DNA sequence: TTGAAAGCGCTAACAG
DNA sequence: CTGTTAGCGCTTTCAA
């Protein structure tokens, strides 16, 4: 049998109520006793009984707040699926989740959302927001209130979040390089399309791609890095220009951005047969491109897990007082081809 | 608030004990009352409270028996990891697991193991065994006793197991074909190495590979299908012969078997540069081969999940009376290249 | 065949 | 500041 608070109480010569207070950091216990109890708990290697906690909480479930982009953004469908699955599993467990959808480009909205959750006495936050000062402050404030925050999908650096769950962007770039290396001939020329290099995240991917190509022996050369701002037109125009400058481009790495524009230009230039494409994620356009044989590979990083994990981690943190073991939880990289779909 | 057995009891005008008996299929309730309770439970849409169940069970946890190959078989390390993780999660939940390792080629051992679990009053079984008559009978017998069996990693067909969790072998063959198609030129010739075509499982993979190649436009031809029986020597000799017959082989699909033998022959024939290899799983030899650039791709099917899922499914079945939603749970296919490692 | 009641380990409200 | 106690929903004796 496992250790219970009762045993700790007996050993310490206090009541279970007191032990409960100490173990859950509630106020109103003389420091000396607190010490003593903590010591005993530690020495007995106490692990709280999940089921009992859950049951006791079932009347008034603990709230976990989720701040993320709205339903319209397709990528997040799978993330939401992961969250919902975790939430369903944890439902009988005294936790409930609440979503708040925000325009991720307007940080005020995120800040407002997280603030409201605190007012509602949320016990934990899943936060997907921009990496800027305003957001950083909002996180630090919340965490200082004793409410854990986990960033997911897109990280916020140098802040007090307890951990991050999402992609390893550098690695995805390296894998893209590895794939190009396998399908392109020696000395091939490639273009990279990204949204904008202003963001650290995008630069990581590009860096991974560059480093990857360098390590390999095929001397594949990056002749253009296009910033498409995820917009159709920008991408189209710039890619067309790239083709004009380098008629011998044989591969395109679509790190992020408008797949439609890319495919459009390729078709306009009748290059379907001669261009190999590697991209990321699996929006409908990508799926379509793969089906048609225009896209060779896509690299995904398990959006489902990006939703599922953080909630479980928060649960462990809140109920089991278990600190995350890592600061970065990178979701598994997956490579897909048409047969994988 | 959710429905509780108390509410059902009140509505039916009986005690909670009686409701409990009915809901858990225990004997000793008059059929008429049983009916009535079932009806009410259904109409109220009763869902048992996990936490309460777990807590009530915590004194005398329910046993789940696991029959699988011994620790020496490397592939199963990750499977065991998955089982252990699930077991840890479910530990506070009134379940405990017990392993029994058997030589999978000697069915008597498996049968004996499962029989013992039944004697020990196990409430569920995870079973990884050969697909033969003896095994089939043992499963059907157990299930008829009311104890659910889930086959994992390797299925047993036409039996009463509640579901199977493992690879989609056909799909992995198709993906191998897709990869070959991406890295080989038109009309390339390839060899396939498998253990033995006596087994349905191996034939599925081969069929997937063949079908995959046919669907694609590159006219890649399978010039040899080698049965290596997973033995170094057989593989070596037969592959050498294949090279003699077809000096222009450009690709090898190692469906299963001795990677060492394959690499050995390639090196002996100095074909490192000219042969592309796609294989399955990630034994140390494969990892080594990928690192050295001898193997281009390996296809894995999430062994971790093959352990994790079945246990969760059994738990849901036993505690929540939830039938698995599918008969086949195929674990995700993963494609790995050197940068993924 | 059924009911009553004592737990399972933890929390929270109230009393002291 | 600390102890007491009544639940949380389900299972499992023990009686009836």
């Amino acid at each position: 049998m496992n250790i219970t608070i009762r045993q700790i109480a007996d050993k310490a010569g206090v009541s279970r109520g007191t032990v409960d207070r100490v173990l859950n950091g509630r106020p109103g216990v003389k420091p000396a006793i607190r010490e003593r109890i903590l010591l005993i708990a530690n020495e007995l290697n106490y692990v709280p009984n999940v089921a009992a906690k859950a049951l006791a909480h079932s009347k008034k479930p603990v709230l976990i707040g989720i701040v993320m982009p709205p339903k319209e953004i397709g990528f997040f469908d799978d993330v939401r699926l992961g969250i919902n699955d975790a939430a369903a599993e944890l439902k009988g467990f005294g936790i409930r989740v609440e979503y708040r959808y925000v325009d991720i480009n307007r940080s005020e909205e995120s800040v407002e959302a997280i603030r409201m959750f605190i007012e509602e006495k949320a016990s934990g936050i899943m936060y997907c927001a921009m990496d800027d000062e305003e957001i950083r402050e909002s996180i630090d404030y919340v965490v200082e209130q004793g409410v854990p925050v986990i960033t997911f999908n897109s990280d916020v650096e140098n802040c007090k979040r307890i951990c991050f769950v999402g992609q390893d962007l550098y690695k995805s770039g390296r894998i893209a390089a590895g794939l190009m290396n396998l399908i392109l001939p020696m000395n091939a020329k490639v273009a990279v399309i990204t949204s904008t290099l202003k963001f650290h995240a995008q630069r990581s991917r590009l860096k991974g791609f560059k480093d990857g190509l360098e390590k390999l022996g095929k001397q594949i050369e990056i002749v253009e890095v296009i910033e498409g701002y995820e917009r159709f037109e920008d991408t189209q125009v710039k890619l067309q220009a790239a083709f004009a400058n380098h008629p011998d481009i044989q591969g395109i790495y679509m790190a992020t951005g408008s797949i439609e524009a890319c495919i459009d230009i390729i078709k306009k230039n009748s290059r379907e047969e001669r261009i190999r494409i590697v991209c990321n994620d699996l929006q409908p356009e990508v799926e379509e491109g793969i089906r048609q044989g225009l896209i060779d590979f896509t690299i995904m990083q398990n959006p489902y897990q990006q939703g599922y994990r953080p909630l479980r981690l928060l649960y462990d943190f809140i109920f089991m007082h278990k600190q995350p073991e890592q600061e970065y939880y990178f979701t598994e990289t997956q490579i897909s081809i048409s047969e994988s779909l």
Side-chain angles (χ1 to χ4, degrees), chain A:
Chain A
M1 206 53 241
N2 277 325
I3 303 299
T4 69
I5 52 167
R6 156 156 249 141
Q7 295 175 53
I8 298 179
D10 288 351
K11 192 150 183 184
V14 299
S15 76
R16 312 189 259 127
T18 305
V19 175
D20 182 60
R21 269 162 224 142
V22 173
L23 260 24
N24 292 293
R26 275 187 276 279
V29 179
K30 225 191 301 184
I33 302 210
R34 163 156 276 146
E35 284 294 295
R36 220 169 112 56
I37 293 179
L38 250 19
L39 214 72
I40 295 179
N42 206 47
E43 157 193 330
L44 258 40
N45 222 314
Y46 171 74
V47 178
N49 179 313
V50 231
K53 281 196 115 131
L55 188 54
H57 274 293
S58 58
K59 267 286 167 221
K60 188 154 67 66
V62 147
L63 170 65
I64 290 184
I66 301 166
V67 181
M68 64 185 283
K71 293 220 175 68
E72 288 70 45
I73 314 252
F75 173 84
F76 284 91
D77 286 352
D78 279 342
V79 178
R80 208 158 341 95
L81 211 65
I83 299 178
N84 287 338
D85 277 9
E89 282 179 30
L90 298 174
K91 184 163 180 297
F93 272 56
I95 85 137
R96 80 192 162 87
V97 307
E98 208 172 281
Y99 288 91
R100 205 144 285 161
Y101 297 110
V102 299
D103 178 347
I104 212 170
N105 293 310
R106 298 166 30 83
S107 294
E108 327 85 79
E109 284 191 24
S110 307
V111 172
E112 171 62 9
I114 202 175
R115 202 191 52 69
M116 280 178 62
F117 275 133
I118 294 306
E119 259 176 33
E120 295 173 32
K121 302 257 166 291
S123 304
I125 305 280
M126 271 177 68
Y127 207 29
C128 174
M130 281 235 295
D131 184 358
D132 71 17
E133 199 47 36
E134 207 175 343
I135 298 288
R136 204 178 330 280
E137 276 167 21
S138 71
I139 293 178
D140 289 351
Y141 172 73
V142 168
V143 174
E144 271 152 23
Q145 306 283 302
V147 177
V149 174
I150 295 185
T151 51
F152 66 109
N153 179 263
S154 143
D155 195 18
V156 178
E157 311 217 309
N158 300 315
C159 71
K160 298 199 161 70
R161 55 159 177 56
I162 63 170
C163 68
F164 163 70
V165 180
Q167 314 190 31
D168 183 341
L169 293 152
Y170 179 80
K171 187 173 178 185
S172 73
R174 291 234 310 145
I175 290 183
L179 292 171
M180 282 294 184
N181 179 68
L182 288 169
I183 56 179
L184 289 180
M186 287 287 291
N187 301 307
K189 291 184 177 157
V190 299
V192 177
I193 303 180
T194 181
S195 55
T196 159
L197 293 173
K198 260 194 344 215
F199 291 133
H200 172 74
Q202 296 307 318
R203 290 199 305 272
S204 296
R205 228 175 221 173
L206 180 58
K207 180 144 195 317
F209 189 65
K210 281 185 175 159
D211 289 0
L213 287 182
E214 263 170 35
K215 279 220 183 82
L216 298 160
K218 273 199 184 158
Q219 316 277 19
I220 293 174
E221 189 192 350
I222 300 175
V223 293
E224 291 267 356
V225 175
I226 296 171
E227 290 186 271
Y229 305 106
E230 313 229 15
R231 288 194 291 260
F232 185 88
E233 182 144 328
D234 290 77
T235 309
Q236 205 190 27
V237 171
K238 291 187 180 175
L239 184 56
Q240 182 60 64
F243 273 150
N245 292 336
H246 307 278
D248 51 352
I249 286 176
Q250 293 184 76
I252 298 179
Y253 173 37
M254 287 278 323
T256 342
S258 170
I259 291 288
E260 297 99 314
C262 178
I263 288 181
D264 177 70
I265 288 297
I266 289 177
K267 285 190 174 161
K268 280 201 179 124
N269 290 268
S270 309
R271 304 249 183 153
E272 291 93 331
E273 305 294 319
R274 281 172 293 157
I275 297 267
R276 318 299 297 260
I277 304 183
V278 173
C279 63
N280 284 289
D281 304 326
L282 195 61
Q283 309 95 290
E285 313 88 73
V286 174
E287 215 171 316
E288 184 56 26
I290 289 184
R291 286 239 156 72
Q292 291 180 7
L294 293 170
I295 297 175
D296 294 298
F297 292 99
T298 188
I299 302 164
M300 300 173 298
Q301 290 194 340
N302 218 327
Y304 179 91
Q305 286 292 336
Q306 293 180 23
Y308 186 88
R309 284 309 283 282
L311 202 48
R312 299 290 308 207
L313 288 166
L314 278 175
Y315 170 79
D316 285 347
F317 184 89
I318 296 168
F319 270 30
M320 305 303 281
H321 306 293
K322 213 160 75 191
Q323 214 76 26
E325 283 165 15
Q326 311 163 21
E327 181 180 354
Y328 296 96
Y329 284 83
F330 291 128
T331 49
E332 255 172 2
T333 310
Q334 273 170 255
I335 300 171
S336 284
I337 61 175
S338 90
E339 283 77 8
S340 322
L341 301 183

